[in-house]
Amino acid sequence: MKTYYLSLAMLALVACNQKAKKQDDTTVPADTVTVAMKASVSKEKFGTLPDGKEVDRYTLTNANGISMKVMTYGGIITSLQTPDKNGEQGDIVLGFDSLEGYLQKGVPYFGAVIGRYGNRIAKGKFELDGKTYTLATNDGPNHLHGGKKGFDKVVWTASEKKTDHGVALQLEYLSKDMEEGYPGNLKATVTYTLTDDNELQVDYQATTDKKTVVNLTQHSYFNLAPGTATILDHEVTLHADAFLPVSNTLIPTGELRPVEGTPFDFRKGKKVGQDIGQEDQQLEYGGGFDHCWVLNGAGEGLEKAASLYDASTGRLMEVFTTEPAIQFYSGNFLDGSLTGKNGEKYVHRSGLCLETEHYPDAPNQPDFPSTVLNPGEEYHTTTVFRFSVK
Ligand code: GLA
C-alpha cells in the first residue's frame, strides 16, 4: 500500500480534495482516484501565556491529507482532521481556536498529555519505601491527572522528526523533583507520529533519578461526527472482559468485575447511549461511563484495545496499546458552559475519551500492575489511533 501511495506521489498527483485530471482529460472527483501528497510539518506561533512564555503550534499532515495540530502548551492536540465516507474532512476532537480558550477555568483536559499520573490517586497520598508523598487533592478528596499544574498545563520543548513511516513531533518536559509533590526529576518525552497508514502513534517515554510513579496518557475528546451534539450514537467496542468498579469518588474498589451481564459489556460493540441510562450504581457514581476497563491483551505488546465508530459519517477509529487498561469517559461533566471551535457549545456528552493507561490508584493498590519507575529503568508505552471509514 505504502509503495502504491509513494509511486502515486512521484507521479505528482494533485493535493487532496482537489479535482484530479485523468489522461484523457475527463475530470473525476479526487476520491475516485487515489490522491497522494507529501507528508509535512509546519510551525506557527500560537500565543503567549500570562507568564510571557511563547506557545507554538505545529501542523502534521500525512501523505493522504490527514492532519493534526499540536501545541507546545500541554502537548495539546487542538485539531485532528480525518475524512468521512464521502472524503469530506472534519475535525474530530473538541477544543478551541485560540490559546486563550484553553486557559479558561474549568477546561477539562481537552486534547492534553496527562501526567505525571493520569487518573486518580486516593486522598492524594501514596507511599514509596516507607515514605508518604502528599499530592494536591484537586478532584474532591482525591488527586486527579497530575495535580494543579499537571503535564497538561506546562510548555513542552518540541522538535520535528522525520521517520520512515511518517512525520513526527517530539515533545520533551523535565518534571522537577517534588514538582506537584512527586519525587524524582522525571524526563518525559511524548512523540506523536502521524503515519502514511493513517495512524496517530503516541509514544510515551520517561526516566527518573529517584524512585517515583508514572502513568502517562492522552486526553483527547473525540466526536467522529463533528457538529453533532452528542456521542450517544457512537458505537464503542472495548476488548475487555472486566472493568474496575469504583467508589462514589471514582476510586477503584480493588475488584476486577466481569462485564458479562452489566452495562459495561462493550465486547461486541454497542452505542454509548444504549445502556448509559440503566439503573446501575456504577453508572450513577460515574454520572455515566467513567471507568477503567482491564484489557484482554494486557502484557502482550501492542494489542487492540478499543474501537469507535460513527455510522452517520462512516468514521472508524481503532485504538491499539501496550497499556493494560483503558479509561472510557463519556463526557459526563461537559455541561454546555464551554464554547469551542466553530462556536459549538460543548454540551453533556458531546465528546468521549479513550485514555489508555495503568489502573487508577495503582500506587495504593499492591494487587494492581505497578506504576513505579526506578532510576536506571525506562518507561515506554505506545498507543496507536488508526483512522479509516467503513
Ligand atoms: C477523566 C476522569 C473524569 C473527568 C475527566 C475530566 O477522564 O476520569 O472523571 O475528571 O477526566 O473532566
Side-chain angles (χ1 to χ4, degrees), residues 1-69:
M1 201 57 174
K2 230 180 218 166
T3 342
Y4 180 59
Y5 281 132
L6 276 178
S7 46
L8 281 173
M10 286 187 326
L11 285 170
L13 280 170
V14 291
C16 263
N17 283 336
Q18 291 177 2
K19 301 267 177 177
K21 284 204 161 195
K22 283 208 301 194
Q23 258 173 357
D24 63 7
D25 221 33
T26 46
T27 304
V28 293
D31 57 349
T32 59
V33 171
T34 306
V35 165
M37 54 196 218
K38 233 173 161 262
S40 65
V41 185
S42 63
K43 175 182 169 183
E44 64 188 318
K45 201 181 148 213
F46 193 49
T48 309
L49 293 172
D51 66 4
K53 274 200 191 110
E54 305 245 310
V55 174
D56 295 324
R57 186 161 74 161
Y58 290 80
T59 304
L60 280 67
T61 308
N62 82 353
N64 312 313
I66 290 185
S67 71
M68 67 185 274
K69 290 184 191 289

Side-chain angles (χ1 to χ4, degrees), residues 121 125-133 211 213 363-364 372:
I121 297 180
K125 284 200 190 306
F126 69 97
E127 242 182 57
L128 277 180
D129 293 338
K131 192 168 181 296
T132 301
Y133 293 92
K211 194 172 194 169
V213 292
N364 292 310
V372 171

